[in-house]
Amino acid sequence: MPEQKPDLRETVRRRYAAAAVQVTEGGTTCCGPAAIGLGIGIDDIFGSARYTDGERDELPAGAVAASLGCGNPTAVADLREGDRVLDLGSGGGIDVLLSARRVGPAGKVYGLDMTEEMLALALANQRKAGATNVEFLKGTIEAIPLPAATIDVVISNCVINLSTDKAAVFAETFRVLGPGGRIGISDVVAEDALTPARRAERGDYVGCIAGALSFTEYRRGLEAAGFTRIEITPTHLVADGMHAAIVRAAKPSVAGTGATGHVTGAPAACCAHH
């Protein structure tokens, strides 16, 4: 896969920097396309609507307002007391702060973001939440600034689709996970019948659509990085032929072992192998 294009990365950075500033100034923000012709409100498919009332009530308003995701990875990542967690593209910190409560004082949660404005917002939200088992890092998801085998669970919420070097993201995720480590990711995934050009017709890159992998591409990318026990389960429609999905996979406990990756629950059109 191609290396991340500097101009595209800068476009993404500016978009999310502006979103952080908007929230800091008291507004709200959102990711994703207008679901034209689908009868779906944008607030129903992206953002804080993907969290329960109880989860939203736990957090500072700024963390909730800055939610840009297409799912709730903390609800599917099976977080346990004492886990070490990494959130790729942590934004305003909503998933980091929710994870910090679940792993408890014996655990640790890292949030990784490349945008200074989002990191500043996340740090403010961390202070308001009083979370002491949290650390925010500046960097890119293609070059994670953590040592190998130091993380138990990697989560991410509608961010991997924004990278044009997804092979590097998957390889770096695999590297930082310890043996038996796992991922619980929410992301946008395209039906296999949609070519990259047809995906781009449905929304731009910064809107979390044009850069989405297909179901088969996503599975093959994870397999190439070494992941096993792969499950990609669509949850709701975000554009015509484009789905928010839960992605689960694991790093083998012992090299060379593990089940074959597979897609579960995908529409028939998503599962053709090319």
Side-chain angles (χ1 to χ4, degrees), residues 10-239:
E10 177 59 18
T11 299
V12 171
R13 190 203 65 77
R14 287 198 304 266
R15 161 71 174 87
Y16 289 94
V21 171
Q22 186 175 348
V23 171
T24 301
E25 293 176 348
T28 58
T29 187
C30 191
C31 178
I36 299 172
L38 296 176
I40 303 172
I42 192 69
D43 291 339
D44 296 328
I45 56 179
F46 287 94
S48 61
R50 309 316 306 173
Y51 299 85
T52 67
D53 290 343
E55 287 171 324
R56 291 193 295 267
D57 290 344
E58 289 180 18
L59 300 175
V64 176
S67 174
L68 296 163
C70 56
N72 181 354
T74 64
V76 302
D78 188 26
L79 299 182
R80 304 161 190 164
E81 189 82 15
D83 272 343
R84 300 162 298 172
V85 180
L86 169 64
D87 182 13
L88 300 180
S90 49
I94 186 170
D95 294 316
V96 170
L97 296 177
L98 287 172
S99 298
R101 290 175 177 264
R102 285 159 176 72
V103 303
K108 179 72 176 283
V109 185
Y110 297 92
L112 174 63
D113 206 281
M114 69 175 181
T115 308
E116 291 277 4
E117 293 84 351
M118 275 295 184
L119 287 168
L121 178 60
L123 287 167
N125 289 328
Q126 178 189 358
R127 289 191 294 269
K128 291 174 184 176
T132 58
N133 58 341
V134 164
E135 182 177 346
F136 287 100
L137 307 170
K138 184 179 181 183
T140 68
I141 62 176
E142 298 86 8
I144 298 170
L146 286 172
T150 54
I151 297 296
D152 299 306
V153 186
V154 171
I155 64 174
S156 186
N157 197 347
C158 207
V159 171
I160 293 175
N161 67 80
L162 295 170
S163 172
T164 58
D165 194 354
K166 295 174 179 66
V169 177
F170 295 148
E172 279 289 273
T173 300
F174 191 87
R175 179 186 66 81
V176 299
L177 284 170
R182 56 204 188 276
I183 65 172
I185 290 170
S186 296
D187 210 355
V188 174
V189 185
E191 294 180 8
D192 285 345
L194 293 184
T195 63
R198 291 179 66 192
R199 297 169 213 172
E201 291 171 357
R202 287 153 171 78
D204 61 11
Y205 220 101
V206 177
C208 306
I209 297 297
L213 295 175
S214 71
F215 281 85
T216 293
E217 289 166 348
Y218 218 117
R219 176 177 53 80
R220 287 178 176 169
L222 289 170
E223 287 177 338
F227 284 99
T228 60
R229 306 207 318 262
I230 300 165
E231 300 176 358
I232 306 175
T233 307
T235 57
H236 57 283
L237 199 66
V238 300

